[in-house]
Amino acid sequence: MPAGRPRSFDENAALDAAIEVFRRYGYEGASLDLLTGAMGINRPSLYGAFGDKAALFDKAVARYADGPGSVPLAAIEAAADLPGAVTGFFAAAERNNCARGRPRGCLIACVLGEAAGADERWRARATELARKAEHSVAERLVRFVSPDTAGRVARTMMTLTYGLATAAKAGLSATEMRTRTEEAIAATLALADIQDTGQDTGMRRA
């Protein structure tokens, strides 16, 4: 493309289309033909705007993290109390994982997580985003619980969220996902109560 010539496509819209392809097919399964077809551009345009496939994926992950991936954080910010924060967080994650007509699961938890198993670059990226997410959740929870409890609860929430995303990707029904989401909410609130009151954090006996 000649220098200074404006691109004839919307880069953000093209990235959004790439996100859907990566979510549906995974990193390895998302061929350049699938990507360019969904994005509505040819290979030279893809390379010119985004770089190679790896660079495109990295940009897609960043856009996803700042878009759909940030909605659960906004739910915590909008909450008036801890139950509302936890419920809103998991409800937002469930909508993202199980939206009708969209690829199931989470781009970061499922696709980046899978890619991390075979590539050190993606492993480092996944670790970075996981730590950033935990920190962001904990920062927002300190309105309701002590900083120490906020950190523990944030780690638990993110662990459960990643597990729920994997379950959604595996094809669990909407009813099954709803049950698991409700259980994750209950488990998180129970942990927060135990930690904040200084009780024993071990498994409760029947």
Side-chain angles (χ1 to χ4, degrees):
M1 180 180 294
R5 178 181 174 184
R7 295 191 172 103
S8 59
F9 63 92
D10 184 326
E11 289 188 31
N12 287 332
L15 263 182
D16 289 339
I19 286 171
E20 297 303 290
V21 173
F22 283 123
R23 287 182 72 178
R24 187 176 301 278
Y25 297 100
Y27 178 69
E28 293 297 336
S31 67
L32 287 177
D33 285 342
L34 286 171
L35 287 165
T36 54
M39 297 166 74
I41 60 177
N42 57 28
R43 291 194 185 196
S45 294
L46 185 152
Y47 294 136
F50 304 107
D52 60 12
K53 177 181 169 180
L56 172 64
F57 182 56
D58 199 37
K59 290 180 173 67
V61 166
R63 181 165 174 80
Y64 183 90
D66 290 337
S70 69
V71 175
L73 295 176
I76 298 177
E77 293 174 354
D81 53 28
L82 181 63
V86 173
T87 300
F89 176 90
F90 281 110
E94 182 185 10
R95 288 192 296 272
N96 184 40
N97 288 329
C98 305
R100 189 180 300 273
R102 305 284 292 276
R104 287 183 132 225
C106 169
L107 183 71
I108 295 172
C110 300
V111 182
L112 180 60
E114 180 181 10
D119 191 314
E120 177 57 35
R121 170 181 178 175
W122 302 131
R123 193 174 306 123
R125 188 80 165 103
T127 299
E128 171 199 355
L129 289 175
R131 289 176 176 166
K132 180 179 178 181
E134 287 177 4
H135 178 73
S136 296
V137 171
E139 270 190 325
R140 288 159 175 80
L141 290 177
V142 292
R143 289 193 292 141
F144 312 118
V145 293
S146 67
D148 186 55
T149 296
R152 289 190 177 93
V153 172
R155 288 192 293 274
T156 298
M157 288 171 69
M158 291 310 304
T159 299
L160 292 170
T161 300
Y162 274 49
L164 289 169
T166 302
K169 185 73 173 177
L172 268 66
S173 70
T175 300
E176 291 173 312
M177 289 304 303
R178 167 50 35 190
T179 297
R180 281 158 176 75
T181 298
E182 291 173 351
E183 290 170 346
I185 292 168
T188 300
L189 291 174
L191 172 68
D193 182 63
I194 290 169
Q195 291 295 336
D196 229 31
T197 57
Q199 297 178 31
D200 180 21
T201 60
M203 296 275 297
R204 292 182 179 177
R205 296 179 180 177

